[in-house]
Amino acid sequence: MSIKEYKPITPSRRWITSPGFEEITRSEPYKPLTAPLRKKGGRNVHGHITTRHKGGGHKRRYRIIDFKRDKDNILAKVISIEYDPNRSARIALLEYTDLEKRYIIWPVDLKVGDEVISGESVEPKIGNSMLLKNIPPGTFVHNIELKKGKGAEIVRSAGTYAQIMAKEGNLVHLKLPSGEIRMVSIDCRATVGQVGNVEHN
């Protein structure tokens, strides 16, 4: 991924950089997987400003992401990688063999045309979602559940990953991006790999 630099046409513009968009393959979202996202402008139900300095910005639609990855043992093909204005990570659009489409968080090295699958004990390959008890120690994972079946809650932002350190009884020791070692149930799911858009920060 490249870093975009700008011409210093003003003093403040001189050191500005932003990530490139080479990995993005589609500019418009898949409409059935979007929802309206209404802005509050920092106001409560009475219309009074309760949080200052909010407001403005570009109009957005929310992209519905599959954080549960509960469509087990059905092969899915990556058909596009897209920008999501609601998060720092990129998203990938999957098409399953039964023609259903779902969005997932895009991991590093997952390309258009690659196939991914989710299940209790599938191959620990990038983009595959599986139970923590079946992922070998030392593997990088993201989109980690904290409660079985609730869906991914941690390690979802750009460039992040957790590492499986050890397994002890019904718990897995995970080293989080902060350096914290957290114990999570072996029956929770995680996705193999590191979240994409690594150079976001």
Side-chain angles (χ1 to χ4, degrees), residues 8-193:
I9 54 173
T10 62
S12 62
R13 197 76 160 162
R14 182 169 295 279
W15 308 113
I16 286 180
T17 58
S18 66
F21 293 91
E22 291 83 11
E23 71 276 8
I24 289 170
T25 62
R26 176 177 166 153
S27 56
E28 292 295 317
Y30 178 61
K31 215 55 179 291
L33 289 178
T34 63
L37 192 66
R38 295 183 177 88
K39 294 191 182 273
K40 307 287 190 298
R43 288 160 172 79
N44 64 7
V45 292
H46 304 294
H48 301 158
I49 293 176
T50 54
T51 309
R52 297 184 302 160
H53 317 300
K54 287 196 172 188
H58 200 287
K59 191 175 181 180
R60 303 174 179 180
R61 281 186 74 80
Y62 180 73
R63 275 73 165 165
I64 299 162
I65 311 291
D66 178 18
F67 286 117
K68 291 192 175 182
R69 294 292 296 273
D70 53 3
K71 204 170 171 73
D72 286 350
N73 305 314
I74 300 175
L75 215 58
K77 192 176 185 179
V78 180
I79 57 174
S80 67
I81 295 160
E82 301 175 21
Y83 172 77
D84 187 350
N86 307 298
R87 64 192 72 250
S88 57
R90 307 283 187 240
I91 55 176
L93 183 61
L94 303 183
E95 184 175 55
Y96 288 87
T97 48
D98 61 1
L99 302 182
E100 186 186 349
K101 292 184 174 77
R102 290 189 184 186
Y103 276 125
I104 63 164
I105 299 290
W106 175 63
V108 173
D109 295 331
L110 192 70
K111 298 177 179 66
V112 172
D114 288 355
E115 291 183 333
V116 296
I117 192 167
S118 59
E120 283 197 12
S121 55
V122 295
E123 185 190 350
K125 197 180 77 172
I126 286 175
N128 285 357
S129 177
M130 53 199 297
L131 297 185
L132 284 168
K133 66 181 175 186
N134 297 320
I135 304 176
T139 308
F140 290 167
V141 292
H142 63 279
N143 270 8
I144 302 159
E145 285 185 333
L146 294 178
K147 287 185 180 177
K148 184 182 176 182
K150 193 178 178 186
E153 293 185 86
I154 56 172
V155 193
R156 306 192 321 193
S157 59
T160 55
Y161 62 87
Q163 189 173 17
I164 296 177
M165 304 302 288
K167 297 176 186 180
E168 183 184 326
N170 291 329
L171 298 171
V172 172
H173 295 245
L174 288 171
K175 187 178 183 182
L176 300 183
S178 62
E180 175 194 351
I181 304 289
R182 179 172 280 203
M183 288 153 79
V184 180
S185 168
I186 58 171
D187 294 322
C188 288
R189 283 181 188 251
T191 306
V192 178

